[in-house]
Amino acid sequence: MGQAAIVAYSNDFSNPLAVSDYSSVGAVAPTYYHTTSNRDGLGGDGVAGDGAMYFNVQNNTSGDEVVAYAFQGTMDEGEAYRLTMGSFNVTNNYNGYYMSLYNATDGVELVRADLWQPAGYPAARTDVLEYTALASDAGDVLEFRVGDKITASFRDFAVDNVSLEVTAVPEPSVSGMLICALGAIVLRRRR
């Protein structure tokens, strides 16, 4: 197998400095910070006080408060990505937010999931996005983005256990060997 151009990533936010790797990319700068909320133990990853990224929604405009993390490396055509994100509602209000994979070089959202949490303190959720890089993505920067999705303030949520798995593009020599082997099998059967 070839080397993945994008580097795999994992963050459980147990380190308070982990939040500083994220940057505001929305029209309005959201307030986001490391928290050791006891809600993390109730609805997050089940480990109270280990940390999460608290997202404090400031206004009632949907989609304008967004943070991003740029993964190390650049995308390769055919490279497959699997992003997993845990999240939980930290208020007693109905809540909405989203997660996405974003081509930062071209300014294009590649795949997105809109996430909704009912009022009360429901159990945490774990969501997954999958994407395979196209030829037009090759050499581009891949970002993970999370933002608000509801038209009301005080709809805070927390993000926990974000990870990106990367399946590398096979080396051309490996693909060539597989094609040659398949061709040899087909030829042998014809005889």
Side-chain angles (χ1 to χ4, degrees):
M1 294 299 262
Q3 288 292 327
I6 293 288
V7 178
Y9 172 81
S10 181
N11 191 344
D12 67 359
F13 296 97
S14 58
N15 180 347
L17 298 177
V19 173
S20 64
D21 294 337
Y22 287 73
S23 59
S24 174
V25 294
V28 173
T31 301
Y32 60 99
Y33 51 87
H34 177 264
T35 182
T36 53
S37 164
N38 64 355
R39 283 282 306 124
D40 188 21
L42 299 173
D45 61 9
V47 182
D50 75 328
M53 181 170 62
Y54 190 102
F55 202 94
N56 185 357
V57 178
Q58 300 296 306
N59 65 29
N60 58 2
T61 303
S62 177
D64 67 344
E65 298 178 56
V66 184
V67 297
Y69 174 82
F71 296 106
Q72 294 178 15
T74 57
M75 292 186 274
D76 268 351
E77 179 182 2
E79 201 169 54
Y81 311 111
R82 179 180 171 87
L83 177 75
T84 304
M85 179 186 88
S87 62
F88 56 98
N89 191 348
V90 295
T91 65
N92 196 21
N93 299 316
Y94 176 78
N95 208 335
Y97 44 97
Y98 74 90
M99 64 188 272
S100 70
L101 285 173
Y102 188 85
N103 181 325
T105 305
D106 294 342
V108 175
E109 191 169 68
L110 303 171
V111 62
R112 173 179 169 142
D114 290 333
L115 313 171
W116 303 99
Q117 290 274 9
Y121 295 108
R125 59 183 301 143
T126 299
D127 295 282
V128 175
L129 293 176
E130 293 180 334
Y131 181 75
T132 300
L134 306 173
S136 60
D137 297 318
D140 293 350
V141 174
L142 179 65
E143 283 183 346
F144 159 60
R145 291 188 172 199
V146 62
D148 69 318
K149 180 69 181 143
I150 199 161
T151 56
S153 55
F154 308 112
R155 304 299 178 156
D156 304 346
F157 61 93
V159 172
D160 202 1
N161 297 321
V162 175
S163 66
L164 181 75
E165 298 171 27
V166 181
T167 303
V169 179
E171 292 282 344
S173 60
V174 173
S175 299
M177 287 179 7
L178 290 172
I179 290 170
C180 288
L182 183 59
I185 291 170
V186 169
L187 285 174
R188 186 175 181 136
R189 287 193 169 200
R190 286 188 179 174
R191 292 181 187 178

